Protein backbone atom coordinates (compact mmCIF):
# COMPACT_ATOMS: atom_id res chain seq x y z
CA UNK A 1 0.00 0.00 0.00
CA UNK A 2 1.51 3.35 -1.04
CA UNK A 3 0.79 6.85 0.29
CA UNK A 4 -0.44 7.98 -3.15
CA UNK A 5 -1.17 6.62 -6.61
CA UNK A 6 0.88 9.36 -8.29
CA UNK A 7 3.45 11.89 -7.16
CA UNK A 8 4.08 14.85 -9.46
CA UNK A 9 7.38 16.64 -8.96
CA UNK A 10 7.03 20.34 -9.83
CA UNK A 11 3.95 22.53 -10.17
CA UNK A 12 4.71 24.46 -13.33
CA UNK A 13 2.27 24.20 -16.27
CA UNK A 14 3.29 20.56 -16.89
CA UNK A 15 2.93 19.47 -13.27
CA UNK A 16 -0.32 21.36 -12.69
CA UNK A 17 -1.80 19.80 -15.84
CA UNK A 18 -0.69 16.35 -14.72
CA UNK A 19 -2.39 17.13 -11.39
CA UNK A 20 -5.61 18.15 -13.17
CA UNK A 21 -5.70 14.99 -15.29
CA UNK A 22 -4.70 12.62 -12.47
CA UNK A 23 -7.14 14.20 -10.01
CA UNK A 24 -9.92 13.98 -12.58
CA UNK A 25 -9.11 10.27 -13.08
CA UNK A 26 -9.71 9.93 -9.31
CA UNK A 27 -6.09 8.92 -8.73
CA UNK A 28 -4.77 9.93 -5.33
CA UNK A 29 -2.29 12.64 -6.41
CA UNK A 30 0.37 14.59 -4.54
CA UNK A 31 2.06 17.51 -6.32
CA UNK A 32 5.32 18.68 -4.74
CA UNK A 33 6.61 22.19 -5.52
CA UNK A 34 9.76 23.68 -4.05
CA UNK A 35 9.18 27.31 -5.02
CA UNK A 36 6.03 28.79 -6.47
CA UNK A 37 3.10 27.09 -8.25
CA UNK A 38 3.20 28.06 -11.92
CA UNK A 39 6.96 27.63 -12.31
CA UNK A 40 8.54 29.78 -15.03
CA UNK A 41 5.10 30.72 -16.32
CA UNK A 42 4.24 32.38 -13.01
CA UNK A 43 7.05 34.91 -13.44
CA UNK A 44 6.15 35.81 -17.03
CA UNK A 45 4.42 39.15 -17.03
CA UNK A 46 2.25 38.61 -20.12
CA UNK A 47 1.36 35.46 -22.00
CA UNK A 48 -0.15 36.06 -25.40
CA UNK A 49 0.37 32.73 -27.16
CA UNK A 50 -1.56 30.31 -24.95
CA UNK A 51 -4.69 29.42 -26.92
CA UNK A 52 -8.03 30.69 -25.77
CA UNK A 53 -7.04 32.80 -22.79
CA UNK A 54 -4.50 35.32 -24.00
CA UNK A 55 -3.29 37.83 -23.20
CA UNK A 56 -3.07 37.36 -19.46
CA UNK A 57 -0.38 37.41 -16.81
CA UNK A 58 1.53 34.22 -16.07
CA UNK A 59 0.59 34.58 -12.40
CA UNK A 60 -3.11 34.63 -13.31
CA UNK A 61 -2.77 31.59 -15.59
CA UNK A 62 -0.88 29.70 -12.87
CA UNK A 63 -3.45 30.55 -10.24
CA UNK A 64 -6.31 29.37 -12.51
CA UNK A 65 -4.47 26.08 -13.21
CA UNK A 66 -3.82 25.52 -9.50
CA UNK A 67 -7.46 26.20 -8.61
CA UNK A 68 -8.65 23.84 -11.35
CA UNK A 69 -6.24 21.13 -10.17
CA UNK A 70 -7.28 21.41 -6.53
CA UNK A 71 -10.95 21.28 -7.54
CA UNK A 72 -10.27 17.73 -8.82
CA UNK A 73 -8.68 16.67 -5.53
CA UNK A 74 -4.94 16.72 -6.27
CA UNK A 75 -3.03 17.98 -3.24
CA UNK A 76 -0.24 20.56 -3.61
CA UNK A 77 2.51 20.74 -0.99
CA UNK A 78 5.53 22.96 -0.64
CA UNK A 79 8.70 20.88 -0.41
CA UNK A 80 11.88 19.99 -2.29
CA UNK A 81 12.38 16.56 -3.83
CA UNK A 82 15.94 15.33 -3.38
CA UNK A 83 15.73 11.88 -4.95
CA UNK A 84 13.60 8.96 -6.13
CA UNK A 85 14.19 5.30 -5.26
CA UNK A 86 12.55 2.26 -6.75
CA UNK A 87 11.34 -0.09 -4.00
CA UNK A 88 9.75 -3.27 -5.39
CA UNK A 89 6.73 -2.25 -7.43
CA UNK A 90 6.55 1.31 -6.14
CA UNK A 91 8.64 4.46 -5.76
CA UNK A 92 9.89 6.29 -2.71
CA UNK A 93 10.22 10.02 -3.26
CA UNK A 94 12.66 11.69 -0.88
CA UNK A 95 11.77 15.18 0.22
CA UNK A 96 12.63 17.60 2.98
CA UNK A 97 9.85 16.43 5.28
CA UNK A 98 10.65 12.72 4.74
CA UNK A 99 9.99 9.91 2.25
CA UNK A 100 6.61 9.51 0.51
CA UNK A 101 5.60 6.54 -1.62
CA UNK A 102 3.61 6.28 -4.83
CA UNK A 103 2.86 3.73 -7.52
CA UNK A 104 3.94 6.13 -10.27
CA UNK A 105 5.78 9.44 -10.66
CA UNK A 106 5.61 12.36 -13.08
CA UNK A 107 8.79 14.41 -13.21
CA UNK A 108 7.84 17.97 -14.20
CA UNK A 109 10.76 19.82 -12.67
CA UNK A 110 11.34 22.22 -15.56
CA UNK A 111 14.47 24.25 -16.12
CA UNK A 112 16.48 27.00 -14.52
CA UNK A 113 18.51 29.79 -16.06
CA UNK A 114 21.92 29.22 -17.57
CA UNK A 115 24.71 31.47 -16.36
CA UNK A 116 27.00 33.38 -18.71
CA UNK A 117 30.03 32.54 -16.57
CA UNK A 118 31.75 35.90 -16.96
CA UNK A 119 33.63 37.98 -14.38
CA UNK A 120 31.25 39.99 -12.20
CA UNK A 121 28.17 37.86 -12.87
CA UNK A 122 28.09 35.93 -9.60
CA UNK A 123 29.41 38.89 -7.60
CA UNK A 124 26.55 41.17 -8.66
CA UNK A 125 23.59 38.76 -8.62
CA UNK A 126 20.83 40.62 -6.81
CA UNK A 127 22.78 43.88 -7.09
CA UNK A 128 22.29 44.57 -10.78
CA UNK A 129 22.53 41.13 -12.35
CA UNK A 130 19.11 39.52 -12.75
CA UNK A 131 17.51 36.53 -14.47
CA UNK A 132 13.92 37.72 -14.04
CA UNK A 133 12.59 40.97 -15.52
CA UNK A 134 9.19 40.65 -13.87
CA UNK A 135 10.82 40.27 -10.46
CA UNK A 136 13.52 42.93 -10.72
CA UNK A 137 12.51 45.27 -13.57
CA UNK A 138 10.71 47.76 -11.28
CA UNK A 139 14.03 48.50 -9.49
CA UNK A 140 15.26 50.23 -12.65
CA UNK A 141 12.28 52.48 -13.32
CA UNK A 142 13.34 55.51 -15.42
CA UNK A 143 16.91 54.21 -15.83
CA UNK A 144 18.73 52.41 -18.67
CA UNK A 145 19.30 48.64 -18.56
CA UNK A 146 20.79 45.88 -20.70
CA UNK A 147 19.32 42.53 -21.72
CA UNK A 148 21.55 39.71 -22.96
CA UNK A 149 20.25 36.98 -25.29
CA UNK A 150 18.59 36.45 -28.64
CA UNK A 151 15.82 33.92 -27.96
CA UNK A 152 12.13 34.34 -27.16
CA UNK A 153 12.66 34.99 -23.45
CA UNK A 154 15.28 37.70 -24.01
CA UNK A 155 13.21 39.59 -26.56
CA UNK A 156 9.96 39.20 -24.68
CA UNK A 157 11.51 40.48 -21.47
CA UNK A 158 13.27 43.35 -23.29
CA UNK A 159 9.86 44.46 -24.56
CA UNK A 160 8.40 44.17 -21.06
CA UNK A 161 11.20 46.31 -19.63
CA UNK A 162 10.46 49.15 -22.08
CA UNK A 163 7.33 49.82 -20.01
CA UNK A 164 9.52 50.63 -16.99
CA UNK A 165 12.89 51.95 -18.13
CA UNK A 166 14.07 54.74 -20.43
CA UNK A 167 16.20 52.50 -22.67
CA UNK A 168 17.03 48.83 -23.17
CA UNK A 169 20.30 47.74 -24.79
CA UNK A 170 19.72 44.28 -26.25
CA UNK A 171 23.03 42.46 -26.62
CA UNK A 172 23.21 39.35 -28.78
CA UNK A 173 26.25 37.42 -29.94
CA UNK A 174 24.84 36.68 -33.41
CA UNK A 175 23.58 39.09 -36.05
CA UNK A 176 20.12 37.46 -36.24
CA UNK A 177 17.73 36.73 -33.36
CA UNK A 178 16.64 33.14 -32.69
CA UNK A 179 13.29 34.39 -31.38
CA UNK A 180 9.98 34.21 -33.23
CA UNK A 181 9.88 36.73 -36.10
CA UNK A 182 6.94 38.60 -34.58
CA UNK A 183 9.03 39.36 -31.47
CA UNK A 184 12.12 40.26 -33.51
CA UNK A 185 10.07 42.71 -35.61
CA UNK A 186 8.62 44.36 -32.50
CA UNK A 187 12.04 44.66 -30.89
CA UNK A 188 13.72 46.13 -33.96
CA UNK A 189 10.93 48.68 -34.38
CA UNK A 190 10.84 49.74 -30.72
CA UNK A 191 12.13 53.26 -30.09
CA UNK A 192 13.39 52.40 -26.59
CA UNK A 193 15.43 49.35 -27.67
CA UNK A 194 18.93 49.56 -29.14
CA UNK A 195 20.06 46.22 -30.55
CA UNK A 196 23.77 45.55 -30.17
CA UNK A 197 24.25 42.42 -32.26
CA UNK A 198 27.45 40.45 -32.85
CA UNK A 199 28.73 41.43 -29.40
CA UNK A 200 29.24 39.51 -26.17
CA UNK A 201 29.57 40.73 -22.61
CA UNK A 202 33.16 40.30 -21.51
CA UNK A 203 32.70 41.38 -17.90
CA UNK A 204 30.39 43.15 -15.50
CA UNK A 205 31.88 45.83 -13.27
CA UNK A 206 30.61 47.88 -10.39
CA UNK A 207 31.13 48.89 -6.79
CA UNK A 208 29.63 48.08 -3.40
CA UNK A 209 26.43 49.77 -4.58
CA UNK A 210 26.01 47.35 -7.49
CA UNK A 211 26.55 47.10 -11.24
CA UNK A 212 27.91 50.21 -12.96
CA UNK A 213 29.04 49.09 -16.41
CA UNK A 214 29.27 46.23 -18.91
CA UNK A 215 32.31 45.68 -21.09
CA UNK A 216 31.30 44.42 -24.53
CA UNK A 217 33.54 42.87 -27.13
CA UNK A 218 32.72 42.30 -30.80
CA UNK A 219 32.40 38.86 -32.34
CA UNK A 220 34.90 39.20 -35.19
CA UNK A 221 35.34 42.72 -36.58
CA UNK A 222 34.03 45.73 -34.68
CA UNK A 223 34.71 47.90 -31.68
CA UNK A 224 34.71 47.21 -27.97
CA UNK A 225 32.01 49.12 -26.12
CA UNK A 226 31.33 50.10 -22.55
CA UNK A 227 27.72 50.42 -21.42
CA UNK A 228 27.07 52.45 -18.29
CA UNK A 229 24.01 50.69 -16.85
CA UNK A 230 22.94 49.80 -13.29
CA UNK A 231 21.15 46.62 -14.34
CA UNK A 232 21.62 43.68 -16.71
CA UNK A 233 19.13 40.89 -17.36
CA UNK A 234 20.58 37.60 -18.62
CA UNK A 235 18.50 35.22 -20.77
CA UNK A 236 21.08 32.99 -22.41
CA UNK A 237 19.51 29.57 -22.18
CA UNK A 238 18.06 26.95 -19.91
CA UNK A 239 19.41 24.04 -17.94
CA UNK A 240 17.16 21.22 -16.72
CA UNK A 241 16.47 20.73 -13.03
CA UNK A 242 17.17 17.01 -13.10
CA UNK A 243 20.27 16.63 -10.91
CA UNK A 244 18.21 15.24 -8.03
CA UNK A 245 17.46 12.14 -10.17
CA UNK A 246 21.02 10.82 -9.98
CA UNK A 247 21.44 7.84 -12.32
CA UNK A 248 17.89 6.53 -12.07
CA UNK A 249 16.58 8.15 -15.26
CA UNK A 250 18.26 8.42 -18.67
CA UNK A 251 19.14 11.96 -19.71
CA UNK A 252 20.96 13.45 -22.66
CA UNK A 253 24.37 15.12 -22.42
CA UNK A 254 22.79 18.37 -21.15
CA UNK A 255 20.68 16.64 -18.50
CA UNK A 256 17.30 16.76 -20.31
CA UNK A 257 15.31 13.55 -19.76
CA UNK A 258 15.25 11.42 -22.90
CA UNK A 259 11.58 10.45 -22.86
CA UNK A 260 9.73 10.42 -26.17
CA UNK A 261 6.49 12.16 -27.11
CA UNK A 262 4.66 9.59 -24.97
CA UNK A 263 6.64 11.01 -21.98
CA UNK A 264 7.63 7.51 -20.80
CA UNK A 265 11.15 7.32 -19.36
CA UNK A 266 13.40 4.26 -19.27
CA UNK A 267 11.90 3.40 -15.86
CA UNK A 268 8.39 1.91 -16.09
CA UNK A 269 6.05 4.00 -13.94
CA UNK A 270 7.99 7.28 -14.29
CA UNK A 271 7.06 9.87 -16.92
CA UNK A 272 8.82 13.13 -17.73
CA UNK A 273 6.67 16.12 -18.69
CA UNK A 274 7.40 19.66 -19.79
CA UNK A 275 10.65 21.57 -20.14
CA UNK A 276 12.77 18.97 -18.31
CA UNK A 277 12.19 16.56 -21.22
CA UNK A 278 14.34 16.52 -24.38
CA UNK A 279 12.09 18.26 -26.93
CA UNK A 280 12.23 20.86 -29.71
CA UNK A 281 9.95 23.53 -28.21
CA UNK A 282 9.72 24.60 -24.57
CA UNK A 283 6.50 26.55 -24.11
CA UNK A 284 3.41 26.44 -21.91
CA UNK A 285 1.36 24.83 -24.69
CA UNK A 286 3.86 21.97 -25.07
CA UNK A 287 4.27 21.59 -21.29
CA UNK A 288 0.54 21.15 -20.68
CA UNK A 289 0.39 18.63 -23.54
CA UNK A 290 3.09 16.62 -21.83
CA UNK A 291 1.31 16.78 -18.47
CA UNK A 292 -1.85 15.29 -19.98
CA UNK A 293 0.06 12.66 -21.98
CA UNK A 294 2.02 11.58 -18.90
CA UNK A 295 -1.15 10.84 -16.94
CA UNK A 296 -2.55 8.90 -19.91
CA UNK A 297 0.60 6.71 -19.88
CA UNK A 298 0.50 6.31 -16.11
CA UNK A 299 -3.16 5.41 -16.02
CA UNK A 300 -2.48 2.50 -18.41
CA UNK A 301 0.58 1.49 -16.42
CA UNK A 302 -1.39 1.40 -13.18
CA UNK A 303 -4.17 -0.50 -14.87
CA UNK A 304 -2.24 -3.33 -16.53
CA UNK A 305 1.50 -2.60 -16.22
CA UNK A 306 1.77 -1.57 -19.89
CA UNK A 307 4.92 0.44 -20.67
C1 LIG B 1 11.10 34.84 -19.12
C2 LIG B 1 10.26 33.75 -19.71
C3 LIG B 1 9.17 34.07 -20.50
C4 LIG B 1 8.38 33.05 -21.06
N1 LIG B 1 7.29 33.38 -21.81
C5 LIG B 1 6.50 32.41 -22.34
C6 LIG B 1 5.33 32.73 -23.10
O1 LIG B 1 4.99 33.89 -23.31
N2 LIG B 1 4.60 31.70 -23.60
C7 LIG B 1 4.92 30.40 -23.40
O2 LIG B 1 4.19 29.53 -23.86
N3 LIG B 1 6.02 30.07 -22.69
C8 LIG B 1 6.80 31.03 -22.15
N4 LIG B 1 7.93 30.70 -21.43
C9 LIG B 1 8.25 29.28 -21.28
C10 LIG B 1 7.34 28.62 -20.24
O3 LIG B 1 7.30 29.41 -19.07
C11 LIG B 1 7.83 27.22 -19.96
O4 LIG B 1 7.93 26.49 -21.15
C12 LIG B 1 6.90 26.48 -18.99
O5 LIG B 1 6.77 27.18 -17.78
C13 LIG B 1 7.43 25.07 -18.73
O6 LIG B 1 6.62 24.45 -17.80
P1 LIG B 1 7.15 23.24 -16.91
O7 LIG B 1 6.03 22.91 -15.99
O8 LIG B 1 7.72 22.19 -17.76
O9 LIG B 1 8.40 23.82 -16.09
P2 LIG B 1 8.52 25.05 -15.10
O10 LIG B 1 7.57 26.13 -15.43
O11 LIG B 1 9.97 25.36 -15.06
O12 LIG B 1 8.08 24.43 -13.68
C14 LIG B 1 8.84 23.46 -13.04
C15 LIG B 1 8.56 23.54 -11.54
O13 LIG B 1 9.20 22.46 -10.88
C16 LIG B 1 9.71 22.90 -9.63
N5 LIG B 1 10.79 22.01 -9.22
C17 LIG B 1 11.98 21.81 -9.85
N6 LIG B 1 12.73 20.92 -9.19
C18 LIG B 1 12.01 20.56 -8.09
C19 LIG B 1 12.27 19.69 -6.99
N7 LIG B 1 13.43 19.01 -6.90
N8 LIG B 1 11.32 19.56 -6.03
C20 LIG B 1 10.14 20.25 -6.12
N9 LIG B 1 9.85 21.10 -7.14
C21 LIG B 1 10.76 21.24 -8.11
C22 LIG B 1 10.19 24.32 -9.95
O14 LIG B 1 10.28 25.09 -8.77
C23 LIG B 1 9.11 24.81 -10.90
O15 LIG B 1 8.07 25.50 -10.25
C24 LIG B 1 8.70 31.69 -20.84
C25 LIG B 1 9.81 31.38 -20.03
C26 LIG B 1 10.59 32.39 -19.47
C27 LIG B 1 11.77 32.04 -18.62
Amino acid sequence: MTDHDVIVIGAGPAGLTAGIYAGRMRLSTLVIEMMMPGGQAAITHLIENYPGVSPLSGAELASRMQEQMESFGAVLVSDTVTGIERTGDHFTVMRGSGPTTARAVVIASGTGYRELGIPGEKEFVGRGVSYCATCDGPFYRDQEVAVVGGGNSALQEALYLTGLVTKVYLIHRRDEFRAHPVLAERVRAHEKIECICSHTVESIEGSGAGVERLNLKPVGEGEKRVLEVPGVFLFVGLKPKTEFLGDLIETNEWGFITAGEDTRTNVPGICAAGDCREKPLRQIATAVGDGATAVFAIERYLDDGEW
Side-chain angles (χ1 to χ4, degrees), residues 9-16 32-50 79-82 108-112 131 133-134 152-154 156-157 235 238 241 244 273-276 279 281-288:
I9 302 170
L16 290 171
I32 306 174
E33 169 55 51
M34 68 178 183
M35 289 171 76
M36 162 175 55
Q40 303 249 24
I43 57 162
T44 301
H45 84 103
L46 193 68
I47 294 173
E48 54 177 23
N49 58 355
Y50 188 68
D79 212 338
T80 301
V81 173
T82 53
S109 51
T111 57
Y131 303 89
T134 318
N152 288 326
S153 299
Q156 201 172 357
E157 299 305 281
F235 302 103
L238 302 169
K241 291 185 179 166
F244 69 95
D275 283 9
C276 63
K279 62 198 311 200
L281 179 66
R282 294 191 170 83
Q283 288 276 279
I284 298 166
T286 61
V288 304

Side-chain angles (χ1 to χ4, degrees), residues 193-244:
I193 300 180
E194 178 181 335
C195 298
I196 306 179
C197 288
S198 304
H199 277 74
T200 59
V201 184
E202 203 169 22
S203 61
I204 300 168
E205 291 178 348
S207 64
V211 167
E212 289 173 353
R213 75 193 70 81
L214 310 183
N215 296 310
L216 310 188
K217 69 171 179 189
V219 176
E221 298 293 300
E223 302 215 330
K224 286 198 170 198
R225 281 185 70 169
V226 177
L227 290 185
E228 308 277 348
V229 286
V232 56
F233 294 83
L234 306 178
F235 302 103
V236 295
L238 302 169
K239 63 177 180 198
K241 291 185 179 166
T242 52
E243 279 164 8
F244 69 95

Side-chain angles (χ1 to χ4, degrees), residues 241-252:
K241 291 185 179 166
T242 52
E243 279 164 8
F244 69 95
L245 296 171
D247 294 333
L248 180 69
I249 306 284
E250 260 174 37
T251 59
N252 68 14

Side-chain angles (χ1 to χ4, degrees), residues 33-289:
E33 169 55 51
M34 68 178 183
M35 289 171 76
M36 162 175 55
Q40 303 249 24
I43 57 162
T44 301
H45 84 103
L46 193 68
I47 294 173
E48 54 177 23
N49 58 355
Y50 188 68
V53 291
S54 61
L56 86 173
S57 75
E60 173 63 20
L61 181 64
S63 137
R64 287 191 202 176
M65 285 183 178
Q66 179 183 346
E67 203 179 300
Q68 190 177 4
M69 181 187 84
E70 289 174 334
S71 77
F72 288 120
V75 174
L76 177 68
V77 292
S78 176
D79 212 338
T80 301
V81 173
T82 53
I84 307 175
E85 281 172 16
R86 190 178 193 134
T87 326
D89 62 350
H90 67 268
F91 299 98
T92 303
V93 172
M94 310 303 194
R95 56 186 183 120
S97 60
T100 310
T101 57
R103 296 164 65 205
V105 175
V106 178
I107 303 165
S109 51
T111 57
Y113 56 79
R114 198 171 282 286
E115 291 168 2
L116 262 183
I118 54 168
E121 180 178 7
K122 275 198 164 55
E123 186 185 343
F124 291 109
V125 167
R127 293 189 299 135
V129 172
S130 172
Y131 303 89
C132 175
T134 318
C135 319
D136 299 329
F139 293 127
Y140 303 98
R141 202 173 282 280
D142 300 326
Q143 300 179 69
E144 296 189 349
V145 296
V147 168
V148 182
N152 288 326
S153 299
L155 271 62
Q156 201 172 357
E157 299 305 281
L159 286 163
Y160 164 67
L161 286 165
T162 58
L164 299 168
V165 304
T166 52
K167 179 163 185 170
V168 178
Y169 296 95
L170 179 59
I171 304 154
H172 182 40
R173 68 196 159 112
R174 301 186 203 281
D175 55 357
E176 289 292 331
F177 294 116
R178 263 191 346 271
H180 293 145
V182 66
L183 286 175
E185 281 159 23
R186 269 188 226 163
V187 157
R188 289 203 183 276
H190 204 290
E191 57 183 6
K192 281 192 182 176
I193 300 180
E194 178 181 335
C195 298
I196 306 179
C197 288
S198 304
H199 277 74
T200 59
V201 184
E202 203 169 22
S203 61
I204 300 168
E205 291 178 348
S207 64
V211 167
E212 289 173 353
R213 75 193 70 81
L214 310 183
N215 296 310
L216 310 188
K217 69 171 179 189
V219 176
E221 298 293 300
E223 302 215 330
K224 286 198 170 198
R225 281 185 70 169
V226 177
L227 290 185
E228 308 277 348
V229 286
V232 56
F233 294 83
L234 306 178
F235 302 103
V236 295
L238 302 169
K239 63 177 180 198
K241 291 185 179 166
T242 52
E243 279 164 8
F244 69 95
L245 296 171
D247 294 333
L248 180 69
I249 306 284
E250 260 174 37
T251 59
N252 68 14
E253 58 189 302
W254 299 286
F256 289 100
I257 298 170
T258 50
E261 284 300 306
D262 61 9
T263 76
R264 293 182 175 126
T265 69
N266 59 305
V267 178
I270 301 188
C271 286
D275 283 9
C276 63
R277 183 170 78 79
E278 183 179 58
K279 62 198 311 200
L281 179 66
R282 294 191 170 83
Q283 288 276 279
I284 298 166
T286 61
V288 304

